[in-house]
């Protein structure tokens, strides 16, 4: 015989007087533990033997596709038995025309006495024992590829003589089948694969353990599925059922991904009344979508593909599943619910993918349908006491899928054919649809009955197939489900059907289906939705439903539709009243007694937020800032029972309408109770905080102000950890703004967010107290963050919104700078006498720095507005972020078309020079440009600082008459000359530029002093000013190391 492997190196060896041989392809490893090295040794031995005999032996590489090797008519492998004995020498004769030599060979074989029938198996087994190069895997591959009739018997004999080689022999069969499957030759595919399957079955027939090994190996490599499934059916029906379901579930995952890709391109089902819905129930998607869906559904998995091709195997599989179902209640003392669910679901998947078959034998056709209905009826009766919703739902789906494949029901035109199988289907379906008191099962049965009443085959298929496959069917083609609806609707009592349909509307999925299909009127929808939103227990159950968010979105759409009333099902007053009943303290937020009410509030709040998003101009929308959205988001995120879809939807809506709530994190301070003396045993409330603030403001002369302020601050921190941030901020702001001589203020949180500058109206005693000042600034920071979103949302353009926010932040920063530089002593006359240095409050400094850092251009705006010198010096001292406006300051000073007045230019130049000297190390190039621009402004404004010649008074005034230009420029000139003295020695380029400017100003002073032209007191004052200016220039020059050239 002759054969070759699937590619690789081959070795040929000749015997004495022979011209034939066997080509063998070494494998990487076999069951004997020999790897490629053993094969290489065998090749070397064969080559040496060939050279010793004087024949030409060599090594050939075969890298072609597997081909069918034709057998000669007289080959030992071509027949099962031979009439006369032959020898191995017969294989050496290849010339068919030499009859004489052929006859002599047969005679010689008869003399030697070698029989071809049984001795052939022993000969090959003995040959493998003596020849290391010939391994079992290679021989099995060669035998299968040769499609020899005796290949299966030879491989089984090899495994019997060497049990350790059975795995290698099976691997050779798999190699041959896999190589043949990759070929395009249908003839080769049929012969080689048939031989490989026969060989695998022969190996499995050796023993039960070998059968399990063959079945498991074929299942692992997903090849020869009919052999594997046939063996599993013979060995263990439960294992066969599990294998079929696993194969189908793998296919379902692929189907899910495919349907998800084409879901967005599928046409949507239009909404409308039930009558119109029935009229258009046969509307189908376009051809492209139908083609893609059909291709996805027809792409069958491994085992199912074999079942479709082999009707007998499919019949055995269906019978096996029915036997497995019967064993669930007959073969065990305690029925196994898990096995029953597995068997019923596998049955439904198999019927959906393969069908019910044809004929009258058990396992196909009407006999299978009747047996299936009887088994489903009995198995649900056995497990009725356990109230298994999952088993009941799967049984309903399996029953309907079987009916949709049964021709007397699915293919009926006018009337349905009555038969024992049809009667069994009717009895089984009616028994499964009977109410049992279980919520899940009765709800699903009600949805099925609703499809029957409306005769909506597409919806029935979507519901049943989607439940079995675990994937939402977007578009269904109906098939036999249309006639199944007609058949089932005639079997169900109308009163019972109406009652089951109404009961289904009490569930989330049932009500959602009715809205989507348009089978419910708006009045009924309003009635059912209000019942849902008003029942805390049902709201708690809705949190675990995946379709809860979809239902709420559909109810909002129905409210705003043409048929809707435009009035929300949940009014803002209802949501507010329910919010007042809940405590959002972290010690109460997970209270089991209030869990249902809290879930009810979450659903009502989600409905109100969706209504706000859909119709923001409606008079029935809520104000999100009046609710504890930060605490609601935290509750939804940390609740173990709540669906992620609800939590993510609320968080996304909060980020859109109340984004600052997500940045508000309430953290519990573990030592706050211990730090508040005398308060740890009292129940915390917001009123305690407001009372502590009043005590601190109205303290008497003997009270310790620091102790009262510390108590108020610690109570405030505890309230922030226990209560919603908006409630705390509103109460604290009202308490801080109020005074003893005015009635209490009653601001809402929305009003404070729209106008956060109201907080700046706090009494002076509040700003002077460090503890209360920190509370004010913390509250003001959150209100400013909320106002950012409101301003950007209300302004017509984003640019206008940012300009308004920049002006607001500049105003806040100016107020804090002016008051903070005087240590919050606002009387200007007494500030210089009694205030001392600027405040060192870290909270105030951090607040100002955050404003400067978050608003580019804020420093430029403050400088242009003639910020007091003391406030300007303090700003430059505490805020390194001022250097961020360096380029804006350069542009303002160097722009000739700038709207800055002369006085504003000098003030801006003073601030720019101070910033360049203080923080120029951040960017030397920009700092050099900034200082150069400021010093040039100093030179150009020299005569403005001196004033007009010969005029005894300062006549240069601002347009409003309140500013003296000469005095402003003169003060700025002396401030700039003073700050030049603090220039660091390592700023060489900046110092050189300063020396040049100082030399130029010194020359101008000399020229102006020698000019004359005036006399009297005016001349004396002018000379004194020039002398003072000269001295300042000299001091600045000496600080830079001298070298002035005047």
């Amino acid at each position: 015989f002759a054969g070759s492997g699937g590619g690789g190196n081959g070795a040929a060896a000749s015997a004495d007087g022979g011209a034939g041989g066997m080509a063998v392809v070494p494998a990487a490893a076999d069951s004997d533990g020999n790897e490629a090295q053993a094969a290489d040794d065998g090749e070397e031995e064969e080559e040496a033997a060939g050279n010793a005999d004087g024949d030409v032996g060599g090594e050939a590489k075969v890298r072609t596709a597997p081909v069918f090797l034709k057998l000669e008519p007289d080959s030992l492998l071509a027949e099962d038995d031979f009439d006369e004995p032959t020898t191995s020498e017969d294989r050496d004769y290849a010339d068919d025309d030499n009859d004489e030599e052929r006859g002599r060979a047969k005679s010689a074989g008869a003399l030697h006495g070698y029989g071809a029938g049984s001795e052939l198996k022993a000969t090959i087994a003995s040959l493998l024992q003596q020849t290391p190069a010939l391994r079992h895997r290679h021989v099995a591959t060669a035998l299968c590829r040769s499609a020899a009739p005796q290949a299966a018997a030879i491989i089984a004999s090899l495994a019997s003589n060497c049990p350790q080689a059975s795995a290698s022999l099976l691997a050779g069969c798999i190699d041959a089948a896999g190589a043949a499957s990759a070929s395009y030759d249908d003839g080769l595919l049929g012969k080689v694969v048939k031989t490989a399957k026969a060989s695998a079955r022969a190996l499995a027939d050796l023993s039960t353990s070998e059968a399990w090994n063959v079945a498991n190996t074929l299942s692992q490599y997903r090849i020869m599925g009919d052999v594997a499934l046939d063996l599993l059916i013979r060995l263990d029906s439960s294992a066969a059922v599990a294998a079929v379901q696993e194969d189908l579930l793998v296919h379902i995952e692929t189907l899910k991904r495919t349907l998800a890709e084409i879901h967005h391109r599928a046409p949507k089902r239009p909404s409308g009344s039930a009558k119109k819905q029935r009229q258009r129930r046969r509307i189908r998607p376009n051809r492209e979508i139908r083609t893609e869906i059909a291709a996805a559904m027809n792409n069958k998995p491994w085992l199912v593909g074999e079942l479709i091709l082999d009707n007998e195997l499919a019949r055995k599989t269906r019978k096996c599943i029915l036997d497995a179902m019967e064993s669930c209640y007959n073969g065990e003392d305690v029925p196994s619910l898990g096995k029953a669910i597995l068997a019923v679901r596998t049955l439904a998947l198999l019927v959906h993918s393969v069908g019910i078959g044809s004929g009258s034998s058990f396992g196909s056709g009407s006999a299978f349908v009747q047996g299936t209905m009887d088994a489903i009826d009995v198995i649900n009766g056995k497990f009725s006491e356990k109230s298994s919703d999952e088993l009941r739902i799967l049984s309903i789906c399996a029953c309907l899928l079987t009916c949709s494949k049964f021709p007397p029901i699915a293919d009926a035109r006018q009337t349905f054919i009555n038969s024992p199988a049809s009667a069994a289907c009717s009895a089984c379906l009616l028994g499964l649809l009977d109410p049992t008191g279980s919520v899940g099962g009765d709800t699903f049965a009600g949805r099925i009955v609703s499809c029957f009443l409306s005769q909506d085959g597409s919806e029935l298929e979507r519901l049943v197939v989607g439940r079995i496959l675990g994937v939402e069917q977007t578009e269904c083609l109906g098939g036999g489900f249309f006639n199944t609806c007609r058949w089932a609707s005639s079997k169900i009592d109308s009163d019972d059907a109406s009652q089951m349909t109404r009961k289904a509307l009490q569930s989330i999925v049932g009500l959602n289906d009715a809205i989507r299909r348009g089978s419910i009127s708006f009045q009924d929808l309003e009635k059912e939705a209000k019942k849902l939103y008003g029942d805390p227990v049902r709201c708690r159950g809705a949190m675990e439903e995946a379709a809860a968010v979809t239902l709420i979105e559909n109810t909002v759409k129905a409210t705003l539709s043409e048929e809707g009333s435009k009035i929300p099902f949940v009014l803002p007053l209802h949501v507010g009243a329910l919010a007042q009943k809940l405590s959002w303290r972290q010690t109460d937020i997970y209270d089991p007694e209030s869990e249902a009410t809290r879930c009810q509030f979450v659903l009502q709040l989600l409905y109100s937020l969706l209504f706000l998003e859909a119709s923001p101009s409606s008079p029935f929308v809520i104000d999100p800032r009046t609710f504890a959205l930060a605490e609601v988001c935290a509750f939804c995120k940390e609740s173990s029972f709540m669906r992620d879809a609800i939590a993510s939807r609320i968080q996304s809506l909060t980020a859109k309408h109340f984004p600052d709530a997500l940045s508000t994190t309430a953290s519990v301070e573990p030592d706050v109770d211990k730090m508040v003396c005398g308060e740890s045993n009292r129940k915390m409330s917001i009123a305690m905080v407001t009372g502590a603030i009043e005590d601190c403001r109205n303290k008497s002369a003997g009270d310790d102000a620091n102790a009262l302020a510390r108590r108020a601050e610690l109570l405030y921190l505890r309230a922030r950890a226990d209560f919603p941030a908006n409630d705390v901020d509103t109460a604290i702001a009202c308490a801080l703004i109020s005074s003893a001589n005015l009635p209490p203020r009653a601001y809402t949180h929305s009003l404070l967010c729209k106008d956060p500058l109201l907080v700046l109206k706090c009494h002076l005693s509040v700003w002077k107290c460090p503890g209360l000042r920190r509370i004010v600034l913390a509250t003001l920071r959150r209100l400013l963050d909320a106002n950012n979103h409101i301003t950007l949302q209300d302004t017509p353009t984003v640019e206008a919104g940012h300009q308004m926010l920049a002006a607001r932040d500049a105003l806040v920063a100016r107020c804090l700078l002016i008051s903070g530089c005087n240590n919050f002593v606002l009387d200007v006359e007494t500030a210089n006498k009694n205030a001392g240095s600027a405040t060192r409050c870290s909270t105030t400094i951090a607040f100002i720095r955050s404003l400067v850092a978050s608003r580019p251009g804020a420093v430029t705006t403050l400088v242009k507005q003639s910020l007091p010198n003391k406030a300007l010096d303090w700003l430059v001292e505490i805020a390194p972020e001022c250097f961020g406006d360096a380029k804006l300051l350069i542009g303002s000073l160097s722009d000739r078309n700038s709207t800055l007045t002369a006085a504003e230019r000098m003030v801006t130049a003073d601030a720019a020079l101070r910033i360049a000297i203080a923080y120029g190390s951040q960017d030397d190039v920009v700092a050099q440009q900034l200082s150069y621009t400021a010093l040039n402004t100093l030179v150009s404004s020299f005569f403005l600082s001196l004033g007009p010649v010969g005029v005894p008074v300062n006549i240069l005034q601002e347009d409003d008459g309140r500013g003296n230009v000469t005095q402003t420029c003169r003060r700025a000139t002396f401030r700039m000359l003073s700050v030049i003295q603090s220039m660091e020695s390592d700023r060489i380029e900046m110092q050189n530029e300063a020396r040049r400017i100082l030399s130029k100003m010194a020359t101008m002073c000399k020229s102006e002093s020698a000019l004359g032209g005036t006399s009297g007191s005016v001349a004396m004052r002018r000379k004194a000013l020039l002398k003072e200016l000269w001295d300042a220039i000299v001091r600045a020059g000496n600080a830079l190391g001298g070298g002035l050239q005047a």
Side-chain angles (χ1 to χ4, degrees), residues 860 882-894 923 926 929-930:
T860 305
C882 293
F883 191 77
D885 282 5
K887 294 183 179 180
L888 295 177
L889 293 172
I890 294 173
S892 300
L893 295 175
S894 59
D923 192 336
V926 176
Q929 295 177 359
L930 185 61

Side-chain angles (χ1 to χ4, degrees), residues 792-809:
L792 294 176
Q793 191 177 30
D794 294 343
T795 51
T797 61
V798 178
E799 183 180 0
H802 284 294
Q803 290 179 357
M804 294 180 64
L805 294 177
R808 181 206 66 186
D809 291 347

Side-chain angles (χ1 to χ4, degrees), residues 664 686 716 720 724-736 749 752 759 775 778-780 782-783:
T664 303
I686 300 179
Y716 168 74
R720 287 275 299 128
N726 52 356
D727 295 342
V728 176
D729 291 342
T730 303
I732 297 302
C734 293
L736 293 171
H749 188 260
L752 291 173
V759 182
I775 296 176
T779 304
L780 179 60
R782 284 187 293 275
L783 293 177

Side-chain angles (χ1 to χ4, degrees), residues 33 116 231 410 558 566 594 696 725 844 1038:
L231 292 175
K566 308 299 187 296
S594 62
C696 186
T844 305
N1038 293 334

Side-chain angles (χ1 to χ4, degrees), residues 383-497:
F383 294 99
S384 59
E385 296 180 357
K386 297 186 177 181
S387 300
S388 174
D389 287 344
E390 182 69 15
L391 178 61
R392 183 187 175 194
I393 292 172
L394 291 176
S395 298
I396 293 174
C397 294
C399 178
L400 291 174
L401 282 169
T402 305
C403 293
S404 67
K405 303 288 185 179
F406 190 40
I409 296 176
D411 295 339
R413 299 301 179 212
Q414 299 297 330
T415 59
F416 297 98
I417 301 175
N418 294 324
S419 63
S422 299
C425 292
S426 176
C428 179
L429 181 60
L430 293 177
L432 292 173
L433 294 179
D434 285 339
T436 60
S438 63
V439 178
D442 290 348
T443 299
F444 187 81
R447 297 169 65 190
I448 294 293
V449 172
S450 176
C451 296
F452 292 162
L453 296 180
S454 61
Q455 296 186 7
D456 193 346
S458 297
E459 180 65 21
L460 180 63
E461 183 182 4
R462 189 199 68 83
L463 181 60
V464 172
V465 177
R467 184 64 180 82
I468 290 295
L469 298 182
V471 56
E472 187 71 17
Q473 296 288 95
T474 56
E475 294 292 340
C476 299
L477 304 180
F481 284 92
F482 291 111
N483 285 330
T484 303
C485 287
R486 293 177 49 238
W487 170 80
S489 61
S490 63
K491 304 294 183 182
I492 300 177
D493 183 75
S494 59
D495 295 336
D496 295 340

Side-chain angles (χ1 to χ4, degrees), residues 277-533:
Q277 187 69 26
R278 288 195 297 269
Q279 293 176 353
R280 58 172 173 260
R281 67 180 183 273
R282 292 184 179 272
I283 293 178
R284 303 171 67 183
N286 56 52
R287 178 172 298 180
E288 180 182 358
I289 299 299
R290 293 202 310 271
T291 302
E292 294 187 9
I293 293 177
M297 300 298 291
N298 292 331
N299 186 17
K300 300 302 181 183
W302 171 56
L303 291 178
V304 175
E306 299 287 350
L307 293 175
I308 294 175
L309 297 175
D310 193 342
N311 294 329
E312 179 61 23
L313 181 62
R315 185 194 66 79
K316 290 181 179 180
T317 305
R318 287 190 289 265
K319 183 179 180 300
C320 175
I321 295 175
L322 291 181
D323 294 340
M325 294 174 62
E326 183 179 356
S327 66
C328 293
Y329 54 83
N330 286 338
E332 300 179 2
D333 296 335
V334 179
S336 175
L337 179 61
K339 289 184 179 180
I341 293 176
L342 173 65
V344 173
R345 186 178 186 187
T346 307
L347 174 66
L349 289 170
L350 186 64
V351 171
H352 173 67
S353 302
V354 180
I356 63 173
S358 60
S360 59
S361 60
F362 187 72
S364 295
S366 59
F368 168 73
V369 172
Q370 186 172 356
T372 299
M373 298 305 153
D374 294 340
I376 291 176
D377 193 14
V378 174
I379 201 172
N380 278 272
K382 292 290 183 180
F383 294 99
S384 59
E385 296 180 357
K386 297 186 177 181
S387 300
S388 174
D389 287 344
E390 182 69 15
L391 178 61
R392 183 187 175 194
I393 292 172
L394 291 176
S395 298
I396 293 174
C397 294
C399 178
L400 291 174
L401 282 169
T402 305
C403 293
S404 67
K405 303 288 185 179
F406 190 40
I409 296 176
D411 295 339
R413 299 301 179 212
Q414 299 297 330
T415 59
F416 297 98
I417 301 175
N418 294 324
S419 63
S422 299
C425 292
S426 176
C428 179
L429 181 60
L430 293 177
L432 292 173
L433 294 179
D434 285 339
T436 60
S438 63
V439 178
D442 290 348
T443 299
F444 187 81
R447 297 169 65 190
I448 294 293
V449 172
S450 176
C451 296
F452 292 162
L453 296 180
S454 61
Q455 296 186 7
D456 193 346
S458 297
E459 180 65 21
L460 180 63
E461 183 182 4
R462 189 199 68 83
L463 181 60
V464 172
V465 177
R467 184 64 180 82
I468 290 295
L469 298 182
V471 56
E472 187 71 17
Q473 296 288 95
T474 56
E475 294 292 340
C476 299
L477 304 180
F481 284 92
F482 291 111
N483 285 330
T484 303
C485 287
R486 293 177 49 238
W487 170 80
S489 61
S490 63
K491 304 294 183 182
I492 300 177
D493 183 75
S494 59
D495 295 336
D496 295 340
S498 300
Q499 184 178 358
M500 296 175 65
T501 304
R502 287 194 299 270
K503 188 173 182 179
L505 292 177
Q506 298 177 5
S507 65
I508 297 294
V509 290
L511 188 59
N512 198 23
D513 281 348
I515 297 173
R516 181 176 51 82
R517 296 169 52 202
S519 60
I520 185 173
S521 63
F522 179 78
Q523 291 74 16
D524 293 339
L525 174 61
E526 182 178 10
K527 180 180 178 182
E528 295 296 335
K530 288 184 177 180
K531 287 182 181 180
L532 172 63
Y533 295 132

